[in-house]
């Protein structure tokens, strides 16, 4: 039986691609898990658009500080040397190109690297752009972390986005629970795929053309069945 990566396994895979010493912003949803799984061998400085630099992992249950939250209103911790500042300054950092990596969730991603993550056609989900547009165009490298399909099985990776765009042509790499794909001038290139998932299987749940080089790496899920926040 083919099993996708769990949210934590997906976060670990994303964390592998974040270089030591990077300044990073993690989007709302699945991306917030990355801060909890980065190993002690790396020093990553996490930025939040509500005015924090130097966030740590989520606090232990019962140790939450209601005045220490990220942009998604989730409790966070502060590492030694961390700082607080006005959200205007946080956006200056984003727009000024001072962030090395932004990890964002997505409703849709196109083969050309277009990102749609702030509005859908679902009236039950009101539009909420937050700082996504600024992060998408301001970060030096944009990584998308999401499930490969919607809950009802529709592809999130498309030849062209049908939802309103957050930014055009900004995504560098896509991490899903089924595969890791690079956005290239020649289209989407599959770099890694979960064990047991064939090329035709992946194509059947992807709404864009895929290219498979000879050195595609297998991903091996090891944890319990997937569960966690939506991506």
């Amino acid at each position: 039986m083919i099993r996708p990566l769990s949210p934590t396994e997906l976060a670990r895979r994303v964390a592998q691609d974040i270089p030591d010493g990077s300044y990073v912003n993690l989007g709302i949803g699945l991306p917030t898990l990355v801060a909890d799984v980065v190993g002690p061998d790396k020093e990553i400085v996490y930025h939040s658009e509500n005015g924090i630099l130097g966030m740590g992992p989520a606090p232990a249950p019962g140790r939450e500080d209601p005045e220490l939250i990220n942009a998604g209103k989730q409790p966070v911790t502060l590492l030694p040397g961390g700082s607080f500042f006005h959200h205007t300054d946080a956006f200056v950092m984003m727009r000024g190109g001072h962030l090395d990596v932004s990890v964002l969730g997505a409703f849709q991603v196109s083969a050309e690297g277009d990102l749609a993550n702030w509005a859908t056609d679902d009236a039950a989900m009101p539009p909420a752009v937050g700082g996504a547009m600024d992060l998408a165009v301001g970060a030096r490298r944009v990584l998308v972390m999401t499930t490969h399909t919607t809950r009802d099985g529709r592809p999130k990776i498309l030849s062209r986005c049908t939802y309103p765009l957050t930014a055009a042509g900004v995504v560098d790499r896509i991490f899903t629970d089924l595969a890791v794909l690079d956005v290239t001038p020649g289209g989407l290139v599959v770099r890694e795929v979960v064990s047991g998932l064939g090329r035709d299987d992946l194509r059947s749940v992807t709404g864009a053309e895929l290219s498979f080089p000879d050195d595609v790496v297998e991903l091996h899920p090891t944890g319990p069945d997937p569960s966690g926040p939506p991506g």
Side-chain angles (χ1 to χ4, degrees), residues 106-199:
F107 296 133
Q108 295 178 340
V109 188
S110 82
E112 295 182 352
D114 302 335
L115 173 65
N117 75 347
W118 72 281
T120 71
D121 54 8
D122 186 349
M125 297 181 65
V129 68
M133 291 181 178
D134 304 271
L135 290 166
V137 300
R140 296 168 185 164
R141 184 167 171 80
V142 176
L143 309 178
V144 162
M145 178 182 175
T146 187
T147 53
H148 206 90
T149 63
T150 62
R151 288 190 178 93
D152 57 2
R154 290 179 293 162
K156 286 187 173 186
I157 301 172
L158 306 168
S159 57
R160 183 175 182 179
C161 295
T162 59
Y163 294 154
L165 294 186
T166 305
V170 296
V171 177
D172 296 293
R173 175 168 275 199
I174 306 166
F175 298 82
T176 80
D177 51 350
L178 298 181
V180 177
L181 309 95
D182 280 338
V183 179
T184 76
L188 295 173
V189 178
V190 179
R191 299 300 184 190
E192 302 173 25
V193 66
V194 294
S195 179
L197 188 69
R199 296 185 178 190

Side-chain angles (χ1 to χ4, degrees), residues 28-29 32 48 50 64-76:
I28 294 170
T32 60
S48 181
N50 61 325
E64 299 89 349
D65 181 344
E67 296 194 17
L68 184 52
I69 58 174
N70 62 19
K73 300 182 177 62
Q74 296 172 311
V76 295

